[in-house]
Amino acid sequence: MESEYKKYLFISVKPEFANKIIKKEKSIELRKIKPHVKIGDSIIIYASSPYMAVIGYGTIKQIIEKSPRQMWIDHSELLGIDKERYDEYYNGKDKAVGIEIQNITEIKPIFLNELRVLDPNFHPPQIYRYVSNTLICRTIIK
């Protein structure tokens, strides 16, 4: 029997790309490592330094795994990145992972210092992490 437990994937994204996700100009967030999530789990968008704030959230539509070449061919219009930076990101890699996000909701930014009021030990992830602090999840996803 599959668990009904919903995961909250907290991802750090460069502000340029985080804003593109929120503005729906980018619906696939690229990664090198596949997160352990499933369709319907929540994804929390954290704009990294220098902004350092949660700016929105959405739902995971699907996880896509392909070669970097095939990912570009099939999804380049949804990636929100130019070919040169894309190639640089996946240089030497044989797998590209895309997290397709739907139901994007922009929120009033919740800055790092505010998150630390809720959880003094909170540290934003370098790549991604799973958030289990119920107070943080309830504050972000209302």
Side-chain angles (χ1 to χ4, degrees):
M1 186 171 144
E2 193 169 318
S3 170
E4 293 297 316
Y5 178 72
K6 185 175 183 176
K7 284 189 178 175
Y8 293 87
L9 182 66
F10 193 104
I11 61 169
S12 288
V13 183
K14 289 181 180 177
E16 171 191 358
F17 299 117
N19 285 318
K20 286 182 178 187
I21 292 170
I22 296 302
K23 293 176 183 171
K24 299 178 176 82
E25 296 169 3
K26 171 183 174 67
S27 61
I28 297 176
E29 172 57 17
L30 297 168
R31 296 290 146 154
K32 295 175 184 168
I33 301 168
K34 180 183 176 184
H36 297 286
V37 292
K38 60 186 183 305
I39 293 169
D41 283 345
S42 292
I43 185 163
I44 299 168
I45 311 299
Y46 177 83
S48 62
S49 184
Y51 199 68
M52 301 190 318
V54 172
I55 62 170
Y57 62 90
T59 306
I60 295 173
K61 182 176 180 180
Q62 69 173 322
I63 301 293
I64 305 163
E65 288 185 272
K66 299 182 177 196
S67 70
R69 181 179 179 278
Q70 198 61 50
M71 179 74 79
W72 183 262
I73 290 168
D74 293 347
H75 304 288
S76 60
E77 71 282 356
L78 304 175
L79 303 178
I81 190 171
D82 60 81
K83 181 76 164 96
E84 184 178 340
R85 288 193 291 172
Y86 177 85
D87 288 344
E88 184 179 306
Y89 183 69
Y90 284 114
N91 185 29
K93 303 293 181 194
D94 57 4
K95 181 174 71 170
V97 176
I99 305 168
E100 188 169 7
I101 307 167
Q102 62 184 358
N103 305 321
I104 299 293
T105 301
E106 182 175 6
I107 63 170
K108 178 178 171 275
I110 302 172
F111 291 93
L112 182 57
N113 60 344
E114 297 171 77
L115 292 169
R116 287 192 173 142
V117 168
L118 300 173
D119 180 350
N121 297 317
F122 182 81
H123 295 283
Q126 291 293 319
I127 301 168
Y128 64 79
R129 70 181 275 194
Y130 306 101
V131 179
S132 58
N133 183 312
T134 309
L135 189 56
I136 287 179
C137 293
R138 283 189 191 140
T139 300
I140 294 168
I141 301 174
K142 297 180 180 177

